[in-house]
């Protein structure tokens, strides 16, 4: 379809309004059919997507939207949103579209360039839902397009947009940012990020075997769903506690992770395993590593002397950098703007709040329990997406505008 034709269709679409019943009904049906699709059962990230967009999630978002309201303004959709999703996380494009659609925007989504089975299943199910008669009015409001690295097409779509959303690495963000937007268009960008997980070692050592296995499965979900390539997947593992406690704790957790890999049938390809070994040996050659622990092909662990030895790069596929600290506050000098998610286990909320206050905005946008690194929310990379996909129109009536003593 020509860009001009697509633009005409999107511009002629009747606005639905924020959290319209027809849009919520569409997502409910999409979630239901996606959960029932036989192929979806093979992909935990697709199952997680189907679970996430369930009616309870939509209703909670609706309540949060209502709480954004105040007596001086009205929230309205921005208009047309253009989404450019990443290539390394198959489900982000649907989360981005769903939030924007709920707010009431029309949307054009560039599909990931690689047509993975997960993307194909999602598009097949969503397409079948949109074909239902009850959603006829929504068909013109959503366009999912796939094209090569054609900057002319991206530029044309960018000029149409009221909001451009770029989920990609640093290179993608930089390339697309060179393509101009209309003066009133806003942009959200999600460049490369780095994430970590922190364990309180004494807490781990006191766990029973079944609880340790739960931790292993939770860490598996955080790390292996996207081969540790998602921005929120932890690559650095922090252990708080005495040295001997940390040795015991890390052995228990990594062995549990290996068991979780066996349960799920996850296997690291030979090429990825060799890449992990190469990274590990390079760190050893630099003098940064104090030891290399090989728990299985799926879990290679490099223990570092301290946080100064951490490199924010990783081959993925189960490659962990390990550092022991005395307190979470030891992270303050290490954390940088690039750091996104800190998953945690065994800490009190006061510990986490103290760390956030000490960082004072320097980095880390999310602190979530282990097992929830990949859980999508309206808060991402420092944005409130519900707010960002909408505009706030100020409304003052004559009584509020008048002086209080008149």
């Amino acid at each position: 379809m020509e860009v001009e034709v697509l633009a005409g269709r999107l511009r002629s679409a009747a606005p639905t309004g924020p959290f319209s019943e027809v849009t919520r009904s569409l997502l409910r049906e999409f979630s239901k059919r996606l959960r029932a699709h036989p192929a979806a059962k093979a992909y935990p990230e697709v199952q997680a997507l189907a679970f996430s967009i369930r009616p309870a999630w939509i209703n909670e978002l609706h309540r949060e939207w209502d709480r954004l309201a105040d007596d001086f303004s009205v929230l309205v959709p921005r208009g047309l949103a253009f989404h450019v999703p990443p290539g390394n996380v198959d489900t982000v494009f649907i989360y981005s579209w769903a939030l924007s659609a709920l707010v009431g925007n029309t949307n054009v989504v560039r599909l990931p360039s690689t047509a993975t089975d997960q993307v194909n299943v999602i598009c097949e199910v969503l397409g079948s839902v949109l074909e239902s008669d009850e959603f006829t009015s929504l068909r013109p409001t959503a366009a999912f397009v796939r094209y090569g690295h054609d900057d002319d097409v991206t530029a044309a779509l960018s000029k149409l947009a009221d909001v451009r959303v770029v989920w990609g690495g640093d290179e993608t963000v930089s390339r697309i940012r060179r393509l101009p937007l209309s003066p009133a268009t806003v942009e959200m960008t999600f460049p490369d990020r780095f994430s970590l997980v922190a364990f309180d070692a004494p807490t781990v050592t006191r766990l029973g075997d079944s609880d340790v296995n739960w931790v292993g499965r939770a860490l598996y979900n955080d790390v292996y769903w996207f081969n540790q390539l998602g921005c929120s997947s932890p690559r650095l593992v922090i252990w708080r506690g005495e040295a001997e406690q940390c040795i015991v704790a890390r052995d228990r957790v990594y062995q549990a992770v290996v068991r979780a890999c066996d349960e799920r049938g996850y296997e690291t390809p030979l090429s990825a395993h060799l890449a992990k070994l190469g990274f590990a040996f390079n760190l050893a050659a630099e003098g940064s590593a104090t030891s290399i622990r090989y728990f299985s092909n799926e879990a290679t662990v490099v223990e570092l002397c301290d946080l100064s030895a951490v490199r924010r790069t990783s081959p993925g596929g189960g490659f962990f950098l390990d550092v022991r600290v005395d307190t979470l506050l030891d992270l303050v000098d290490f954390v940088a703007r690039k750091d996104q998610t800190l998953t945690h286990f065994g800490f009190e909320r006061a510990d986490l709040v103290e760390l956030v206050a000490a960082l004072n905005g320097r980095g880390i946008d999310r602190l979530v329990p282990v097992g929830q690194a990949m859980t999508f929310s309206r808060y991402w990379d420092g944005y409130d997406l519900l707010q960002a996909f909408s505009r706030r129109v100020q409304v003052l009536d004559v009584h509020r505008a008048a002086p209080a003593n008149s």
Side-chain angles (χ1 to χ4, degrees), residues 339-357:
D339 300 326
Q340 183 208 57
T341 298
L342 171 65
T343 45
H344 54 84
F345 181 84
F347 296 93
E348 298 293 335
R349 178 175 175 79
D351 296 323
L352 305 173
V353 171
E354 183 182 36
L355 173 62
V356 171

Side-chain angles (χ1 to χ4, degrees), residues 212-249:
V212 171
N213 285 334
W214 179 90
V215 171
R217 294 187 189 103
L219 189 56
Y220 171 90
N221 291 341
D222 290 343
V223 171
Y224 294 93
W225 277 10
F226 300 103
N227 290 321
Q228 208 179 12
L229 298 178
C231 288
S232 56
S233 289
R235 300 167 189 180
L236 169 65
V237 185
I238 301 296
W239 301 93
R240 182 182 74 171
E242 301 293 333
E244 292 188 0
Q245 292 173 316
C246 292
I247 291 171
V248 174

Side-chain angles (χ1 to χ4, degrees), residues 236 283 288-290 302-306 309-310 321-324:
L236 169 65
L283 288 169
S288 302
T290 56
V302 177
E303 297 173 23
L304 301 176
C305 47
D306 55 41
V310 173
L321 300 173
D322 259 31
V323 176
R324 190 197 70 80

Side-chain angles (χ1 to χ4, degrees), residues 366-393:
R366 306 169 66 225
L367 293 88
V368 296
V370 65
Q372 297 187 27
M374 310 306 294
T375 302
F376 193 77
S377 87
R378 61 182 271 205
Y379 302 108
W380 204 263
D381 276 18
Y383 293 105
D384 178 348
L385 294 173
L386 274 186
Q387 176 71 76
F389 277 125
S390 58
R391 292 190 303 121
R392 192 177 286 276
V393 179

Side-chain angles (χ1 to χ4, degrees), residues 198-213:
F199 288 97
D200 180 62
T203 302
V204 174
T205 60
R206 292 193 295 269
L207 294 177
D209 290 343
S210 62
D211 290 332
V212 171
N213 285 334

